[in-house]
Amino acid sequence: MSGTTTSDDRTTRRIVLAARPQGKPKASDFRLETAPLPPPGPGQVVLRALYLSLDPYMRGRMDDRKSYAPPVPLDGVMEGECVAEVVESNDPSRPVGTIVLARMGWQTHAVMDGKGLRRIDPAEAPVSTALGVLGMPGFTAYSGMRVIGQPKPGETVVVAAASGPVGSLVGQLARLAGARAVGIAGGPEKCAHVRGELGFDAAIDHRAADFPAQLAAACPKGIDVYFENVAGPVLEAVIPLLNRYARIPVCGLIAQYSGGGTPPAGPDRLPGLMRDVLTKSLTIRGFINYDFFGIPGIQEDFRREVGGGVRSGAIRYREDIVDGLENAPAAFMGMLEGRNFGKMLVRIGT
Amino acid sequence: MSGTTTSDDRTTRRIVLAARPQGKPKASDFRLETAPLPPPGPGQVVLRALYLSLDPYMRGRMDDRKSYAPPVPLDGVMEGECVAEVVESNDPSRPVGTIVLARMGWQTHAVMDGKGLRRIDPAEAPVSTALGVLGMPGFTAYSGMRVIGQPKPGETVVVAAASGPVGSLVGQLARLAGARAVGIAGGPEKCAHVRGELGFDAAIDHRAADFPAQLAAACPKGIDVYFENVAGPVLEAVIPLLNRYARIPVCGLIAQYSGGGTPPAGPDRLPGLMRDVLTKSLTIRGFINYDFFGIPGIQEDFRREVGGGVRSGAIRYREDIVDGLENAPAAFMGMLEGRNFGKMLVRIGT
């Protein structure tokens, strides 16, 4: 790692959206390009990416349909957040060598305004955590549990993708609140990690043939909070177990992301869900992480509670790191199928 | 009306559940009986019903399945709330002639503990309003809007069954909060009432062939609050119009009540709804009226705001009164099909 610009820092390698996927993305939906960088203007900096974060929401951005954010245009750089180093600077407040968080997309370099780039202190925690447990996924877990989930002592909290960056923190926060944490993960290795390393009360393999029965057995007092990030068969197994006044924060639906726009065949389960909403006084509430940024003190509380937990070891996290930007598409496609084990990162410039 | 016991007050006529309905209830699912009353014990009173309230939730109690309340047993008295007069009293705090609210069911007389019966002051408002705008339906509208709906100036609030006791208050509260109120009702007469008498900004007839297009035209800025009390095709037309951060208080699903337990044919709309929940940060929250009783001050606020509005004429209400207990089943069946026009009441003992 160096703090000075090299000739390599005048070009960027980047992954663009070559075609809109039909269903699951495939390699030909992505294209690796090289492009020259413009010189930085006043107040701008040249960034070299260290880590790129791969996240399920990116699948939604590949489709040309309305969502909370506009889609990535065809031939546009895939969107994403990086931890990056300032390698050239026209912004005195972001000198060369500063480590920042930047929405620079799937690329090695970018020219951006220095203002608005959040500085990361490498002394506080490994810089990669700014993309995971101390970054967007961590805040998603923290704010969703604090605002919507609100676990109470003795309640049961269920979360899927429990070895992933959001799910792993959801369960640990549930435990810290005195609730029972039940994690769902794919395969015995991940389940062992969820129980052993992360300290959940139970971990269920969603690939098991009797998954619904195992989930019911792990939740003898029903489910009070279901932190929804996957949808599909997990949601189906959860619904009958929901207790009166259960809360369902919805921050992701990974099983649906590649489903396309056509509603699946019946029966129609919407009336049944609405009936449960009514007769059990359920709360189902969608959010994306910046919905809660504005709550007074919440970001400070997050950094203090979760940052403190990470530094003390009370909160654990796991990263799944792939080397090289060119491997980002394959890593992303694998993540959508649950083949990652921990927060999915691409190491680019370190 | 008399304040003394007559020989008639020693027996009760009552409607019992003769059979569990399959789908829509029919006359043979009910049976009119006469039964002797026990003498009142210590602290007990003999009540003579003045008005019986008929409400959509009662359909749910006729089914033998889990809900927020146990089902009415076969041959049991149909559940319901009455405004009643004390005609014999062993409770000095509830002397003969006191008007009270009592869950005495579909019957003319009952013996109950005096303690816990809420007194109604006939000087405040007509006593029948204790079953409507100032009673359970009114509080359902008030608390659902205050806790979940939270209409803001300039927002659009949509409610179905807008000429009914809940819907009519929902829309009037929306207007008082500075929001646009769009009501849905069945037929031109009800729509004229919703616009003219109740002062909604728009009223749409859900029987119109182009109902979804009419609803969209009445909501040019989308929908911010959909107060759900009917489900079915209205919900279908509402979903595409929901704005980001829309709130959906769910207090009833009248269109589904007679549907039985089998999910309808596909396509399965549940994944589409969950996608909207996520991408629009929707809140869907079910409640029944006593969920919010415990919020400090809310009952006093309700009585002051809505009671004051009723007395001043700022809040309007309409009652649909049928005479005679024996006509309760037909009135109930008609109400489930939307044939009532205003709060459905059975006048019994006045």
Side-chain angles (χ1 to χ4, degrees), chain B residues 208-339:
Chain B
D210 62 341
F211 164 70
Q214 285 194 32
L215 182 65
C219 304
K221 297 198 295 179
I223 297 172
D224 302 290
V225 178
Y226 171 54
F227 197 102
E228 170 66 295
N229 53 5
V230 298
V234 173
L235 175 60
E236 249 172 273
V238 161
I239 287 175
L241 302 175
L242 290 169
N243 289 331
R244 187 151 170 72
Y245 302 123
R247 289 82 68 194
I248 307 181
V250 180
C251 81
L253 301 165
I254 192 167
Q256 286 184 198
Y257 287 163
S258 295
T262 319
D268 183 5
R269 295 174 300 153
L270 191 144
L273 180 71
M274 292 300 285
R275 184 175 188 281
D276 286 341
V277 165
L278 176 63
T279 61
K280 295 183 176 178
S281 294
L282 304 180
T283 298
I284 302 176
R285 181 168 171 189
F287 71 106
I288 53 172
N289 92 329
Y290 60 70
D291 284 351
F292 301 137
F293 274 1
I295 296 176
I298 195 169
Q299 297 193 58
E300 294 73 14
D301 293 346
F302 166 63
R303 279 199 284 271
R304 192 183 60 250
E305 294 174 31
V306 181
V310 166
R311 280 188 293 278
S312 76
I315 290 177
R316 318 300 293 255
Y317 67 97
R318 183 183 169 111
E319 297 173 332
D320 188 338
I321 300 179
V322 165
D323 271 295
L325 178 71
E326 62 281 8
N327 295 315
F332 177 67
M333 292 183 282
M335 181 190 66
L336 291 180
E337 302 196 331
R339 289 204 299 268

Side-chain angles (χ1 to χ4, degrees), chain A:
Chain A
M1 199 192 304
S2 140
T4 55
T5 313
T6 69
S7 61
D8 281 353
D9 293 329
R10 286 292 182 200
T11 59
T12 181
R13 289 191 306 136
R14 61 195 188 190
I15 307 275
V16 301
L17 179 64
R20 298 210 182 275
Q22 302 299 316
K24 290 182 185 176
K26 52 187 191 303
S28 59
D29 297 329
F30 304 91
R31 190 174 62 241
L32 180 64
E33 289 183 348
T34 302
L37 277 189
Q44 291 195 314
V45 296
V46 178
L47 297 172
R48 181 165 61 197
L50 305 177
Y51 293 96
L52 161 68
S53 175
L54 296 179
D55 300 278
Y57 76 85
M58 294 166 170
R59 175 62 188 86
R61 304 286 172 86
M62 301 175 80
D63 286 336
D64 189 16
R65 52 177 178 179
K66 207 179 164 184
S67 184
Y68 47 80
V72 175
L74 273 181
D75 299 320
V77 179
M78 285 291 296
E79 274 181 44
E81 199 168 44
C82 293
V83 165
E85 185 186 5
V86 175
V87 291
E88 192 178 337
S89 177
N90 291 332
D91 177 353
S93 74
R94 304 284 185 280
V96 167
T98 307
I99 308 296
V100 297
L101 198 64
R103 289 206 65 81
M104 54 189 279
W106 295 24
Q107 57 184 340
T108 60
H109 294 77
V111 173
M112 296 181 82
D113 289 341
K115 215 170 78 174
L117 296 178
R118 206 185 98 202
R119 261 170 301 215
I120 294 165
D121 180 358
E124 267 193 19
V127 296
S128 60
T129 59
L131 297 170
V133 65
L134 299 183
M136 189 271 279
F139 187 75
T140 297
Y142 180 83
S143 63
M145 286 292 270
R146 172 161 150 171
V147 179
I148 308 171
Q150 301 180 21
K152 288 162 200 63
E155 288 193 332
T156 298
V157 175
V158 170
V159 64
S163 65
V166 176
S168 61
L169 187 53
V170 164
Q172 293 181 85
L173 291 171
R175 294 271 309 166
L176 290 170
R180 176 175 173 83
V182 176
I184 297 164
E189 198 193 358
K190 287 181 183 174
C191 285
H193 171 75
V194 167
R195 260 190 313 264
E197 176 76 8
L198 302 178
F200 283 44
D201 297 279
I204 319 277
D205 187 346
H206 65 77
R207 298 172 186 165
D210 62 342
F211 164 69
Q214 284 195 32
L215 182 64
C219 304
K221 296 198 295 178
I223 297 174
D224 302 289
V225 179
Y226 171 55
F227 197 102
E228 170 65 297
N229 53 4
V230 298
V234 172
L235 175 60
E236 249 172 275
V238 161
I239 287 175
L241 302 175
L242 291 170
N243 288 333
R244 189 152 169 70
Y245 301 123
R247 288 83 67 195
I248 309 182
V250 179
C251 81
L253 301 164
I254 194 166
Q256 286 184 198
Y257 287 164
S258 296
T262 320
D268 183 6
R269 294 175 300 153
L270 190 144
L273 179 71
M274 292 300 286
R275 184 176 188 283
D276 286 342
V277 165
L278 176 64
T279 59
K280 295 181 177 178
S281 294
L282 304 181
T283 297
I284 302 177
R285 181 169 171 187
F287 72 106
I288 53 172
N289 93 329
Y290 61 70
D291 284 349
F292 301 136
F293 273 3
I295 295 175
I298 195 170
Q299 296 193 59
E300 295 72 15
D301 292 347
F302 167 63
R303 279 199 284 272
R304 191 183 61 249
E305 293 174 32
V306 180
V310 166
R311 281 187 293 278
S312 76
I315 290 178
R316 319 299 293 253
Y317 66 98
R318 181 183 170 112
E319 297 173 333
D320 187 338
I321 299 179
V322 165
D323 271 295
L325 179 70
E326 63 280 7
N327 295 316
F332 178 67
M333 293 183 282
M335 181 189 65
L336 290 180
E337 302 196 331
R339 289 204 298 268
N340 62 309
F341 188 175
K343 170 66 196 132
M344 192 75 236
L345 296 172
V346 181
R347 182 156 39 204
I348 296 179
T350 57

Side-chain angles (χ1 to χ4, degrees), chain B residues 2-335:
Chain B
S2 142
T4 53
T5 313
T6 69
S7 62
D8 282 355
D9 293 327
R10 287 290 182 203
T11 59
T12 180
R13 289 191 307 135
R14 60 193 188 192
I15 308 275
V16 302
L17 179 65
R20 299 211 181 273
Q22 303 298 315
K24 291 183 186 176
K26 52 188 189 304
S28 59
D29 297 329
F30 304 90
R31 189 174 62 240
L32 180 64
E33 289 182 348
T34 302
L37 279 188
Q44 291 195 314
V45 295
V46 178
L47 297 173
R48 181 165 59 196
L50 304 177
Y51 294 96
L52 161 67
S53 175
L54 296 180
D55 300 280
Y57 77 84
M58 295 166 168
R59 174 63 188 84
R61 304 285 172 85
M62 300 174 80
D63 287 335
D64 189 15
R65 50 178 180 178
K66 206 177 165 186
S67 185
Y68 47 80
V72 174
L74 273 180
D75 299 320
V77 179
M78 285 291 297
E79 276 183 42
E81 200 168 42
C82 294
V83 166
E85 185 186 4
V86 175
V87 291
E88 192 177 340
S89 178
N90 290 333
D91 177 353
S93 74
R94 303 283 185 283
V96 166
T98 307
I99 309 296
V100 297
L101 199 64
R103 287 205 66 83
M104 55 189 278
W106 296 24
Q107 57 183 342
T108 59
H109 294 77
V111 173
M112 296 182 79
D113 289 340
K115 215 171 76 174
L117 297 177
R118 206 184 98 202
R119 260 170 304 212
I120 294 166
D121 180 358
E124 268 193 18
V127 297
S128 59
T129 59
L131 297 171
V133 64
L134 299 183
M136 189 271 278
F139 188 75
T140 298
Y142 180 84
S143 63
M145 286 293 270
R146 172 162 151 172
V147 178
I148 307 172
Q150 301 179 20
K152 288 162 200 63
E155 288 193 333
T156 298
V157 175
V158 171
V159 65
S163 65
V166 176
S168 61
L169 187 54
V170 164
Q172 293 181 85
L173 292 171
R175 294 272 308 168
L176 290 170
R180 177 176 173 81
V182 176
I184 297 164
E189 197 193 358
K190 287 181 183 173
C191 285
H193 172 74
V194 167
R195 260 191 313 263
E197 176 76 10
L198 302 179
F200 282 44
D201 297 278
I204 320 276
D205 187 347
H206 64 78
R207 298 171 187 166
D210 62 341
F211 164 70
Q214 285 194 32
L215 182 65
C219 304
K221 297 198 295 179
I223 297 172
D224 302 290
V225 178
Y226 171 54
F227 197 102
E228 170 66 295
N229 53 5
V230 298
V234 173
L235 175 60
E236 249 172 273
V238 161
I239 287 175
L241 302 175
L242 290 169
N243 289 331
R244 187 151 170 72
Y245 302 123
R247 289 82 68 194
I248 307 181
V250 180
C251 81
L253 301 165
I254 192 167
Q256 286 184 198
Y257 287 163
S258 295
T262 319
D268 183 5
R269 295 174 300 153
L270 191 144
L273 180 71
M274 292 300 285
R275 184 175 188 281
D276 286 341
V277 165
L278 176 63
T279 61
K280 295 183 176 178
S281 294
L282 304 180
T283 298
I284 302 176
R285 181 168 171 189
F287 71 106
I288 53 172
N289 92 329
Y290 60 70
D291 284 351
F292 301 137
F293 274 1
I295 296 176
I298 195 169
Q299 297 193 58
E300 294 73 14
D301 293 346
F302 166 63
R303 279 199 284 271
R304 192 183 60 250
E305 294 174 31
V306 181
V310 166
R311 280 188 293 278
S312 76
I315 290 177
R316 318 300 293 255
Y317 67 97
R318 183 183 169 111
E319 297 173 332
D320 188 338
I321 300 179
V322 165
D323 271 295
L325 178 71
E326 62 281 8
N327 295 315
F332 177 67
M333 292 183 282
M335 181 190 66

